[in-house]
Amino acid sequence: MDVQDLLEHITATVREAKAMPMSASCLVNRAELLEDLDRLRAALPADLDHADALLSDRDAIVASGEAQAHDLLRAAHAEREQLLEQTEVLVAARERAATVVEDARAEASRLLSDADDYVDRKLGEFEVVLGQLAAQVGNGRERLAARREADLARLGVADEDDDAPLAHDPATVDLGPGLDAMRHAH
């Protein structure tokens, strides 16, 4: 799976997760989601390597264009030496060399611009997706913290006074599957 597919899969997993009653929270398979995130983490360097390869290709194209331009200039100089006596030929050769050099520079500039635009677009897409994931994680953590405070308050447990004796031992109180799972998660 590529990065986009993994991001779509993670998003679909969260969207399709079973909703908690009377809450915006949902239940997701932690192991599956962590596995997907590990695969995403592993895939990102491959995409970044691909972007680096594009940048390297861009440099190779520019170097090739410059080499061609230098070759053309050397050929033009050699031709000029042979045609010093013929002014019209010399003028034509200079014009041709200038045109070829200008064309090579324009092509190199276009290729550089295309490569930069592609890399910038991909980085922008990664930035948006990662920002969305960060916002979703932040929202989930805020909801979890709020729900934990409400659960602790309902059970008579003060969050900042963890050393205070509890009215009931939480290990023996049946909290139900959702709260029990949350207690074991912390």
Side-chain angles (χ1 to χ4, degrees), residues 33-169:
L33 195 56
L34 287 173
E35 184 179 273
D36 288 344
L37 289 170
D38 285 342
R39 277 189 282 184
L40 176 63
R41 209 174 275 117
L44 276 175
D47 278 1
L48 293 176
D49 288 343
H50 179 68
D52 285 342
L54 285 175
L55 287 174
S56 294
D57 288 347
R58 176 193 76 168
D59 293 341
I61 290 168
V62 169
S64 173
E66 287 178 352
Q68 287 176 351
H70 287 296
D71 290 344
L72 289 171
L73 284 173
R74 268 188 251 124
H77 286 292
E79 191 175 318
R80 185 190 82 187
E81 293 298 324
Q82 292 174 353
L83 303 172
L84 265 176
E85 302 298 316
Q86 303 170 1
T87 311
E88 290 181 15
V89 174
L90 180 61
V91 170
R94 284 183 178 166
E95 289 175 358
R96 181 174 172 262
T99 300
V100 170
V101 168
E102 190 59 37
D103 290 346
R105 285 185 179 147
E107 180 64 13
S109 177
R110 186 190 66 77
L111 290 171
L112 278 171
S113 179
D114 289 351
D116 287 346
D117 288 346
Y118 174 81
V119 170
D120 187 56
R121 251 190 345 269
K122 287 300 180 186
L123 290 174
E125 290 172 13
F126 291 152
E127 183 179 36
V128 167
V129 170
L130 291 175
Q132 290 170 345
L133 284 174
Q136 289 174 359
V137 168
N139 289 340
R141 292 185 76 197
E142 287 177 17
R143 283 191 231 120
L144 178 64
R147 188 177 70 213
R148 180 172 188 266
E149 287 179 18
D151 289 344
L152 290 174
R154 189 175 63 234
L155 293 172
V157 177
D159 195 25
E160 64 270 354
D161 192 11
D162 287 338
D163 295 330
L166 300 176
H168 301 285
D169 182 3

